[in-house]
Amino acid sequence: MKGGYEHYMQKEIHEQPEAITQSMRGRVKQQKSAEGNPYLQQRIKLGGLVETRGNPYLQQRIKLGGLVETRDTIRRSRRIMFVACGTSYHAALAARQTVEEMVEVPVVLELASDLLDRCCPIFRDDTCVFVSQSGETADTLRALEYAKARGALCVGITNTVGSAISRATHCGIHQNAGYEIGVASTKAYTSQIICITMMALALAEDSISKRERRDAIIDELGALPDKMRSFMQVQDVAMKELAAQLKDSNSLLFFARGNNYATALEAALKCKEVALIHSEGILAGEMKHGPLALVDEHLPIVVVATRDSMYNKMESVIQQLLARSARLIILCTAGDATMQEYAKRSDCQLIEVPGTVEPLQPILNIVPLQLLAYHMTVLRGHNVDQPRNLAKSVTVT
Ligand code: UD1
Ligand code: BG6
Ligand code: NA
């Protein structure tokens, strides 16, 4: 059942390269549009006529059967609102920037319970995307009924075919990540980021100006499972060692910014829910507005500083934390000499992950942090797959 692993959580962490492959199967084409596409060139030459709907060269790379009919409506909506709970909310947060960049429509995120508590205004020209691994979470389902009653187009992203959310939404994407048993969601999270990213790419498929960027992201989607596989075993061993050092901490902080803010929140959630360690994910841009007061030489802080558009800002965060003698663990891109130098000079530990394009980096970055939470849980002697007080699917409000 657990395929040689001791716990479902560990098995499901290791299954991620396969799970994201399944999410992309039949949906992402690695074959690039023909160079010197005459169709495209002719259209551009006609000057101003950039409407390329129906252009077979531009349409061939992402195919989401579930969104074919609603694609144009989504693109024309006034805003796109993601609604979810827990880890699924973090997946929407991780991919929000990609949707904003590709679709150029305002994107907002709502925790389902809060949307309902506030009686949040929702309109007919909104698209609401409900992200739920189980497809049965009561708050998300109630928020869906609420949005539907207000005339919004309701899209589902769920790992469970036939679930309440899959059935009640107008259209959607099944994650196809395989059944997830561990209460702490792992492979469903990375697969949700893949699905939202594919949705963003599919919605931008007619855009010539975004073509190069789309192609770059799609190329990297193809490389992602192998990149993940390449460091899984090494990180499993490394994170077990790190877990042994951190397991008795009273608290653990994760600092990040940009789309890796989701990585920080998700890592902290894993530490709370399974390792039962107090933990917080902190948007590093807010560091000076409070969290800095917590910093001392004892509190372990994981800083996410992979090579992306946030890199310089995160380096400055590292310098400010080191100036206060913080105990740092730096998650960086493999082979980053600058970060290796910080590690040597200031005795901080490094977690090295392969680099990829910015929209996909959170998918690789979370893997060692899932493993860290897993090993801390085992070492602390807690129930990995069924943490106290929690349920896989919360079907009551
Ligand atoms: C579908 C088939 C898949 C088949 C493929 C062949 C199903 C469930 N999927 O996958 O087995 O290999 O065609 O092209 O039979 N939907 C919702 N809400 C959700 C998720 C999905 O309404 O939360 C709807 C979609 O809009 C779509 C249907 O369910 O109408 C199936 O979605 P999905 O499985 O994602 O579609 P395909 O990938 O095309
Ligand atoms: C529960 C689970 O709280 O529900 C979490 O323990 C999960 O892991 C959350 O993220 C939301 O679940 P779903 O199925 O709607 O994604
Ligand atoms: Na449906």
Side-chain angles (χ1 to χ4, degrees):
M1 280 276 278
K2 294 177 197 156
Y5 295 102
E6 266 179 66
H7 303 98
Y8 286 112
M9 182 182 178
Q10 188 188 26
K11 173 174 181 269
E12 287 160 2
I13 292 171
H14 281 266
E15 274 172 0
Q16 287 178 108
E18 187 53 29
I20 61 170
T21 302
Q22 289 304 335
S23 298
M24 291 188 274
R25 191 172 300 286
R27 293 166 165 175
V28 180
K29 287 210 180 70
Q30 278 311 321
Q31 188 190 355
K32 256 192 226 157
S33 22
E35 250 345 287
N37 176 344
Y39 197 151
L40 194 60
Q41 284 179 352
Q42 194 182 25
R43 291 256 166 167
I44 293 166
K45 263 190 210 150
L46 286 173
L49 187 56
V50 288
E51 175 57 58
T52 55
R53 193 156 308 147
N55 179 336
Y57 292 98
L58 276 180
Q59 284 192 352
Q60 66 186 4
R61 297 199 73 188
I62 299 280
K63 181 182 147 209
L64 294 171
L67 298 188
V68 169
E69 279 162 33
T70 46
R71 215 179 52 126
D72 289 343
T73 313
I74 300 174
R75 236 184 344 216
R76 279 197 302 264
S77 49
R78 180 163 73 166
R79 65 176 171 173
I80 299 175
M81 176 186 283
F82 285 89
V83 184
C85 304
T87 290
S88 297
Y89 178 85
H90 297 158
L93 181 62
R96 164 162 63 178
Q97 215 174 309
T98 314
V99 182
E100 285 174 336
E101 181 189 348
M102 286 292 140
V103 195
E104 292 182 328
V105 165
V107 178
V108 295
L109 303 179
E110 291 288 349
L111 287 161
S113 62
D114 192 48
L115 178 150
L116 292 163
D117 289 347
R118 292 184 355 255
C119 302
C120 176
I122 292 180
F123 305 98
R124 296 176 58 86
D125 48 5
D126 284 328
T127 292
C128 297
V129 186
F130 300 86
V131 188
S132 173
Q133 187 284 133
S134 63
E136 304 290 348
T137 299
D139 284 330
T140 311
L141 190 55
R142 279 186 51 223
L144 162 56
E145 283 155 9
Y146 175 91
K148 218 172 166 183
R150 279 153 187 79
L153 175 69
C154 295
V155 181
I157 296 182
T158 171
N159 198 30
T160 316
V161 176
S163 61
I165 287 169
S166 172
R167 281 183 279 121
T169 40
H170 297 119
C171 61
I173 309 168
H174 288 118
Q175 295 176 229
N176 303 335
Y179 196 51
E180 190 181 66
I181 293 170
V183 167
S185 183
T186 52
K187 66 175 180 176
Y189 174 70
T190 44
S191 146
Q192 284 163 341
I193 303 175
I194 292 280
C195 290
I196 302 171
T197 304
M198 289 191 298
M199 179 180 124
L201 296 168
L203 291 171
E205 69 186 359
D206 289 350
S207 166
I208 291 174
S209 63
K210 307 219 182 294
R211 186 179 167 209
E212 217 174 294
R213 174 72 162 156
R214 278 183 70 231
D215 278 346
I217 299 171
I218 295 170
D219 289 348
E220 276 299 310
L221 278 174
L224 207 61
D226 279 343
K227 279 193 184 174
M228 222 187 227
R229 253 176 229 116
S230 73
F231 75 113
M232 190 68 84
Q233 294 300 342
V234 177
Q235 284 301 343
D236 202 342
V237 175
M239 290 306 105
K240 193 172 176 180
E241 283 168 20
L242 185 60
Q245 295 169 36
L246 299 181
K247 73 177 172 57
D248 296 320
S249 310
N250 292 324
S251 180
L252 192 51
L253 300 186
F254 295 87
F255 279 55
R257 56 197 301 166
N259 58 3
N260 276 306
Y261 178 40
T263 308
L265 290 180
E266 177 57 10
L269 179 60
K270 288 287 145 300
C271 291
K272 277 180 257 191
E273 63 183 345
V274 283
L276 315 187
I277 295 177
H278 170 260
S279 185
E280 269 190 72
I282 290 172
L283 186 77
E286 282 288 290
M287 180 175 77
K288 290 180 183 149
H289 307 295
L292 209 46
L294 290 172
V295 175
D296 63 17
E297 64 273 28
H298 306 296
L299 174 68
I301 302 178
V302 178
V303 181
V304 182
T306 34
R307 288 262 177 193
D308 56 30
S309 64
M310 293 297 114
Y311 182 78
N312 290 340
K313 287 179 176 172
M314 289 311 300
E315 186 181 0
S316 148
V317 166
I318 289 168
Q319 288 164 351
Q320 292 174 59
L321 290 172
L322 288 177
R324 286 160 184 84
S325 311
R327 180 177 168 197
L328 294 193
I329 298 120
I330 302 175
L331 192 153
C332 66
T333 307
D336 185 328
T338 310
M339 291 300 151
Q340 287 168 348
E341 189 57 32
Y342 281 116
K344 210 160 56 186
R345 259 193 287 143
S346 311
D347 197 28
C348 17
Q349 276 175 283
L350 290 187
I351 303 174
E352 298 191 43
V353 298
T356 181
V357 286
E358 187 158 357
L360 306 181
Q361 194 67 55
I363 298 173
L364 296 179
N365 289 359
I366 194 62
V367 174
L369 304 180
Q370 292 168 336
L371 288 164
L372 177 64
Y374 167 74
H375 285 297
M376 288 196 299
T377 311
V378 174
L379 293 172
R380 286 162 64 88
H382 298 309
N383 188 329
V384 177
D385 290 326
Q386 303 225 287
R388 68 180 185 202
N389 309 335
L390 300 180
K392 180 68 182 158
S393 179
V394 183
T395 53
V396 289
T397 50

